[in-house]
Amino acid sequence: MDMREPIVTTRTRIRPWAERDRPAIHRLNSDETVMRFFPFRRSREESDALLDELSRRLKDDGYSFLALDVEGSRQAVGMLGMVRLDPKMPSAPGIEIGWRLLPEHWGKGYVTEASAACLDRAFADPDALDEIVSFCVDGNHASEAVMLRLGFVRGPDFDHPKVPAATHPELVRHRFYRLSRTAWLEARTAMSS
């Protein structure tokens, strides 16, 4: 799987981060509405470090969480892509797909559209991944709805090992979803028939 080349759909574009995206990634990581299911907010310096880390992962691995543009945007309005699961996660090792989008772009289907194209790229290679996972805080209905629209199947819920239960007990429980390469390709074939 290689995501170094942009992934373009009718209304979205997933691409490597650029210097012009630093204000956008900071907003994505500090906005109270966007981050309501996360136990922390990032400062500008921390957001810059995250952009640098995601760019490094893309260079080293060929995939990462990338910048998401939508029709008419001049800089990123979200992030979307795939990363290796943290070894502390109960389903590790594996690859996770995830996304984050600025609120003014919610409810327009951008994440579903871009995620489908990202999955197409990930599963296109016959030697590619057998499975991709995704997860969200119990109660994050918008992200869960995207997973269901994409055909993910619910697995066992889990307590996120990196969420501090003492300060954020409401964010500990997560819903876990998985999507097999076989299921994705079968669904795409059925849609095109």
Side-chain angles (χ1 to χ4, degrees):
M1 167 177 61
D2 191 336
M3 298 174 71
R4 291 181 192 106
E5 290 298 317
I7 300 170
V8 180
T9 72
T10 304
R11 302 179 306 147
T12 69
R13 184 171 184 245
I14 306 165
R15 59 166 174 83
W17 294 100
E19 282 299 311
R20 71 180 184 275
D21 297 316
R22 290 191 184 276
I25 199 169
H26 178 239
R27 182 167 172 221
L28 280 166
N29 286 287
S30 62
D31 184 280
E32 290 293 323
T33 305
V34 175
M35 298 296 287
R36 79 176 205 226
F37 293 112
F38 292 82
F40 55 85
R41 310 294 176 265
R42 285 189 171 97
S43 68
R44 176 60 191 258
E45 294 75 24
E46 291 167 329
S47 294
D48 284 347
L50 176 63
L51 186 147
D52 294 339
E53 171 63 15
L54 295 174
S55 297
R56 184 199 60 73
R57 284 187 189 184
L58 179 62
K59 181 181 175 190
D60 293 350
D61 298 336
Y63 55 93
S64 182
F65 290 134
L66 303 168
L68 175 63
D69 297 334
V70 299
E71 52 191 351
S73 64
R74 293 189 159 164
Q75 67 178 11
V77 300
M79 62 168 49
L80 192 145
M82 298 183 191
V83 295
R84 287 183 205 276
L85 282 171
D86 186 299
K88 294 178 183 174
M89 297 298 288
S91 56
I95 303 295
E96 167 201 358
I97 186 171
W99 47 80
R100 204 173 300 165
L101 189 64
L102 293 175
E104 59 268 27
H105 301 286
W106 291 359
K108 298 177 183 174
Y110 294 135
V111 168
T112 302
E113 181 178 325
S115 294
C118 192
L119 290 165
D120 281 342
R121 173 81 58 93
F123 287 136
D125 182 345
D127 298 321
L129 309 165
D130 291 328
E131 177 181 80
I132 294 172
V133 304
S134 195
F135 47 86
C136 64
V137 169
D138 188 18
N140 184 346
H141 303 298
S143 281
E144 189 172 23
V146 172
M147 294 172 209
L148 291 170
R149 280 194 295 274
L150 292 168
F152 279 77
V153 176
R154 190 163 173 188
D157 292 354
F158 68 97
D159 289 343
H160 200 299
K162 295 175 77 177
V163 175
T167 56
H168 295 87
E170 75 285 3
L171 301 179
V172 172
R173 197 70 178 160
H174 277 61
R175 293 190 176 194
F176 178 77
Y177 283 84
R178 57 179 18 120
L179 179 65
S180 72
R181 179 177 186 272
T182 302
W184 179 254
L185 294 177
E186 286 173 359
R188 296 306 258 184
T189 301
M191 287 172 48
S192 63
S193 298

